[in-house]
Amino acid sequence: MLKIENLSISFSKKIIINNVSFDLPSNKIICVVGESGSGKSLTSLSIMGLLPKNAIVNGSITFNNNNLLTLSEHKFQKIRGRVISMIFQEPMSSLNPIMRCGEQVAEILKTHTDLSTPEIKEEVISLFTKVKLPNPDRIYKAYPHEISGGQKQRVMIAMAIACKPKLLIADEPTTALDVTVQKEIIKLLKELQVENEMSILFISHDLSLVAEIANEIVVLYKGNIVEKGNAEAIFKNPENDYTKALINAKPQQNIRLKKLPTVTDFIDKTLDHTLYTDQDREKFHTKIYNAPPLLEVQNIEKEFFSTSFLFAKKNKVKAVNSVSFNVYKGETVGLVGESGCGKTTLVRTILQLEKATSGNIKFQGKDITKLTRSELKKLRKEIQIIFQDPYSSLNPRITIGKAIMEPMNVHNILNSKEERKNYVLDLLENVGLEKNHFNRYPHEFSGGQRQRIGIARAIALQPKLIICDESVSALDVSVQAQILNLLNELKSNYKFTYIFISHDLSVVKYMSDQLIVMNKGRIEEIGDADNIYKTPKTEYTKTLIDAIPKGI
C-alpha cells in the first residue's frame, strides 16, 4: 500500500532524514521507533504532505501507485483525512478548544461525505461508541477541557477513522497517558485495524510498547534506519546497539540496577551492571527510618465544589480522602495512580497552593497549614517542585541563567549577583549542561535539556524536599533514563529527599524506597516499593502493574 524509497529530507543543507526506505503492506501495522530528533515525525509529515515549505525532499513516497511527493495541495486535501488520516501526539493542542468535540469530528464528515446533518450526528455518536467513549451524547456536546486526556485521545481517534481511511498514521498517540489508558488505546487501535482492514504506521520512542502492536519494526537513529524486520525478532534478538539501548533504557521488571543504561552506554560499551541489592536497601532503610520524619501528612482531606449550571446545586467532590503518610530525610517516596486519583491535589496541599479541608501537614515538626504569609515564603525555599512539562515550565523570554537565578534573588541566596552567577554556572555542569548555556534561551534546548534546566532551578535553593511531578513522563525512554540517573546522583550528592509522582509504576518502583498507590482520592496501598511490586495486595495495584508494556 505504501512504499517509501530513498527518502531524504534536509533543511539549509542539514540532512535530517537520510535515504530511508521501507514498505507498509495492506492491513498491517508497521512501527517506526526512535528518539526525538531521529526523523520519525518528519517521515509521517512527509506522507501527509505537511512538511514545512523550506524542506528539501528527495526520493519517493508511493501510495496506491501515486507519488505523494508530486501531488498538489488541492489533490492532497482530497486524500488527507479521507484516505490517509493521522492521530497526533498531543490531543489537547490538536483539538480546537472553542469547538465542541462532536462538532470537530462532524467537520471531517461534512468535508468528505454527502451525509445530511442528522446523519452526520448519528455517525459521530456511533464513532464515539466504537472508540469506547463513556456517554457518547455527553462527549458530543463537551468541550475538550471538560474531558480527560484518554478521552481526548479517543476523540482524536474517532476523527481519524471517521472516513474509514486505508492508512492511519499514529504519531506517539499514547505519550504521557496513564499506563492503563495507554493499554486501552493500543488494544482499541488493534481492534479498529482488524475491523476496518486498514494499515497503521505507528510512531513511538518505546520499543516495549510497539512490540505489543507491530507486525514489523523500523528503528531510526539520527535520520538513518539502523534496524528493521519482524517485531518479535527485533525485540527478542536486537542486533544494533541502539536498538538494544531502547529496549533496556526502561527500568526492568525483576531487578533494580543502581544506574539505568543509556544509549551512550550501549554505543560506547560502558554499561554498569551493578545491582541494587536487598542488603543495600536494608542498610539504607535502617539509617533513614531511625530518624524523625521530615514530612508528616495526617488525615488530609480536600473537597471541591462544582456546578453544572448557573445557580444550580453545588456538587461536592472529595479529591483527597483521609490520606496519611510520612516522608523521611534522604528517602524517595513514590506516588502512583491514574489521572484523577488525587496525586496532584495532594501535592498542591503539601506545597500550600491549596488549603486542606481538614487534617494537618507537619514539615520538620511544624504544622505548615497554619503559616503566615512571611512564613510561607520561607517554606517555598525548603520545598521545591520539578514540573511535568519542560516546555511550558520555562519562560521563553528570559535566558536559562536568569531563570535559575530568579528564585535565588527572591530568597537572598548568597551575597551578590556575581556569587549567584558562579554558583549557577557550576550548577549547570552538575546537571549535565555546559557553562556557556547560561545566556541561551529555552527554545535552543531539547526536551531532556530543558528538564535538566528545571532540575537546576529546583535545586538552586538547596531545598530539603523536592517534588518531581510526572517529571519524566513526556520524555523519550533513553532521555528518561538519563534524567532518572541524574536525580539519583543529585540525591546522593546533595542528600535530597524526593516525592516522585508518576502513572508509570515501573519508573516509580525503580526510583522509590516507599511506595504509595492512590485511587479515587484514597491510599490503596503503602509500603516498601519492591514488596508492593512483587506482591500487590489490591486489584487496582495489580491492574497498574499488568498495564506496564512488557514487550513480546
Side-chain angles (χ1 to χ4, degrees), residues 265-282:
D265 293 331
F266 272 89
I267 293 173
D268 295 344
K269 311 292 186 188
T270 55
L271 291 171
D272 183 353
H273 297 287
T274 309
L275 292 174
Y276 184 72
T277 64
D278 289 341
Q279 289 79 9
D280 291 328
R281 184 177 62 174
E282 287 172 16

Side-chain angles (χ1 to χ4, degrees), residues 68-120:
L68 298 180
L69 296 179
T70 63
L71 292 187
S72 65
E73 178 59 23
H74 178 69
K75 287 184 178 179
F76 239 122
Q77 285 178 357
K78 292 182 178 180
I79 295 174
R80 199 183 292 133
R82 184 173 64 86
V83 185
I84 305 176
S85 197
M86 188 165 178
I87 306 166
F88 293 95
Q89 178 173 352
E90 178 46 66
M92 193 64 227
S93 59
S94 303
L95 292 172
N96 189 330
I98 62 170
M99 282 180 72
R100 298 181 191 275
C101 293
E103 292 171 354
Q104 300 193 50
V105 181
E107 195 173 42
I108 298 289
L109 293 167
K110 285 176 187 173
T111 303
H112 294 294
T113 71
D114 296 323
L115 296 174
S116 65
T117 301
E119 287 173 331
I120 286 174

Side-chain angles (χ1 to χ4, degrees), residues 186-337:
I186 292 296
K187 183 183 176 186
L188 173 62
L189 287 173
K190 288 171 78 172
E191 290 172 355
L192 292 171
Q193 184 260 328
V194 172
E195 183 182 333
N196 296 340
E197 295 184 346
M198 63 183 174
S199 298
I200 295 179
L201 183 64
F202 191 100
I203 294 167
S204 179
H205 61 260
D206 190 340
L207 243 171
S208 301
L209 175 68
V210 302
E212 297 184 352
I213 190 175
N215 300 115
E216 304 280 328
I217 291 176
V218 176
V219 183
L220 272 181
Y221 178 53
K222 294 183 178 179
N224 294 280
I225 292 179
V226 294
E227 195 162 355
K228 65 179 175 180
N230 175 270
E232 184 172 358
I234 283 182
F235 190 78
K236 290 185 176 178
N237 299 295
E239 295 178 0
N240 188 273
D241 286 335
Y242 180 68
T243 311
K244 293 174 185 176
L246 290 182
I247 294 172
N248 290 283
K250 290 195 77 171
Q252 296 183 44
Q253 306 287 317
N254 302 316
I255 62 170
R256 193 194 290 211
L257 294 170
K258 285 192 174 180
K259 181 177 179 288
L260 286 175
T262 64
V263 170
T264 305
D265 293 331
F266 272 89
I267 293 173
D268 295 344
K269 311 292 186 188
T270 55
L271 291 171
D272 183 353
H273 297 287
T274 309
L275 292 174
Y276 184 72
T277 64
D278 289 341
Q279 289 79 9
D280 291 328
R281 184 177 62 174
E282 287 172 16
K283 184 179 178 182
F284 179 72
H285 287 187
T286 300
K287 181 180 176 182
I288 63 173
Y289 294 135
N290 283 337
L294 176 69
L295 179 76
E296 299 169 80
V297 177
Q298 302 169 334
N299 299 315
I300 284 296
E301 296 198 352
K302 178 60 183 176
E303 295 174 349
F304 292 100
F305 293 90
S306 63
T307 54
S308 300
F309 302 98
L310 194 63
F311 306 122
K313 184 179 178 181
K314 288 185 177 181
N315 298 312
K316 185 167 69 173
V317 178
K318 195 169 277 191
V320 178
N321 193 352
S322 300
V323 168
S324 298
F325 63 93
N326 291 337
V327 179
Y328 291 82
K329 185 178 180 181
E331 78 166 331
T332 298
V333 173
L335 190 57
V336 70

